[in-house]
Amino acid sequence: MSSTRDDLFTDAGFHATGVDAAARITPEGVAWLASAGTYPRSTLALWEERPAAPVVLPCGSVFDIVSAPALFGRRMLDRLWDGGPGSGPVAVYRGRILMFAAPGTAQRLPSLLRWEEFGRADGMPPLLCHGTGDAVTVPAPADPEGPDMPLPDLDVPDVDLPLLAPSGSRWLVAPDTRNPWLPGPEVLLWAAVRAARAAVRISIFPHPDQGAKVYDVSRRR
C-alpha cells in the first residue's frame, strides 16, 4: 500500500488489520456493482482484464451514495455498527467515506437533516448526497497491490467505459451479495445525528483513539 493511502487510512481511523474481513469483495458483489451501469457486461469485462481499475457508475437505480468527510464518516459507521443495523457497502475515496444507500436516499436525506436543524455548528459537516443524475467512482474489485478477485464469467461486447487510475480508493465494507442490504434516509439520519453529538462530546472531553474498527458483516443479516 502506498504511503498516500496509508496516511489516508490512518487519518480516517481505519487500518488494514481492522478492515480486511469486511473489505473482501465477492463475485456476487462485483455483479451487483456492475448492474448499476448502462453496460453491466462491459463493466465486468473491464474488471476481468483490469481488476484493479476503478470505474464511474451512475447512482439512482441500484444505489445512492452519501459522502462524508473521513473522520465524521468513521463516526457514522461506528454508530451504525455499534448501536444500529450495520451498513451497506462502504468505500473510501480521496479523503471521503462513501456510504451506499437505498435508492431515493439522496433526495430524502437532506430534507430530514434540515428538519432536524443540525448543521455545522452542531458538529455535523455537510453531507454530499448523490442520486439520480449523479455518478460516483467505484473502487476496483481487487486492491491494486493485492491478489486478483475472481469475476463472473460472461461473454461481453466491446463497449468503452470511463476508467480512472487508482487514487486512494478502497473498500471498507465490500459488497458480498447480489442484493445487499442498503440503509435508507432515516437510518443514516440517526447515524449522522449521533455522530454529530459524539463529535461535540469528544471536542469537550477528548479521549485516545480506540484503534481500528472491525465491522462484522454477518450480524446485519
Side-chain angles (χ1 to χ4, degrees), residues 72 75 79 116 118 122-124 190-204:
F72 188 79
R75 293 186 183 120
R79 298 308 172 280
E116 287 285 344
F118 278 90
D122 299 291
M124 185 183 296
W190 176 89
V193 169
R194 280 155 182 78
R197 290 173 179 169
V200 171
R201 288 197 300 270
I202 289 171
S203 67
I204 299 173

Side-chain angles (χ1 to χ4, degrees), residues 42-43 59 61 65 86 94 99 109-110 118 137-138 146 153 157 167-168 189 200 208:
S42 296
T43 303
C59 302
S61 60
I65 293 288
R94 292 185 176 176
M99 289 169 276
L109 182 58
F118 278 90
T137 300
V138 173
D153 292 328
S167 180
L189 173 69
V200 171

Side-chain angles (χ1 to χ4, degrees), residues 20 36 47 84 113 115 135 144 146 192 219 221:
D20 280 349
W47 278 333
L113 290 170
W115 180 75
R219 185 172 65 79
R221 310 213 198 289

Side-chain angles (χ1 to χ4, degrees), residues 109-197:
L109 182 58
S111 62
L112 290 177
L113 290 170
R114 287 193 297 269
W115 180 75
E116 287 285 344
E117 295 183 348
F118 278 90
R120 219 177 176 95
D122 299 291
M124 185 183 296
L127 302 180
L128 306 180
C129 298
H130 305 286
T132 302
D134 299 324
V136 296
T137 300
V138 173
D143 189 299
E145 299 182 18
D148 290 345
M149 168 56 61
L151 302 175
D153 292 328
L154 290 173
D155 295 327
V156 297
D158 183 15
V159 177
D160 291 335
L161 290 167
L163 175 62
L164 298 180
S167 180
S169 80
R170 183 182 173 111
W171 291 106
L172 301 181
V173 180
D176 56 359
T177 74
R178 288 180 179 266
N179 188 30
W181 178 81
L182 299 174
E186 292 82 4
V187 171
L188 292 175
L189 173 69
W190 176 89
V193 169
R194 280 155 182 78
R197 290 173 179 169

Side-chain angles (χ1 to χ4, degrees), residues 2-20:
S2 69
S3 59
T4 299
R5 283 187 290 156
D6 281 338
D7 293 341
L8 175 61
F9 276 85
T10 299
D11 291 343
F14 292 105
H15 308 277
T17 56
V19 298
D20 280 349

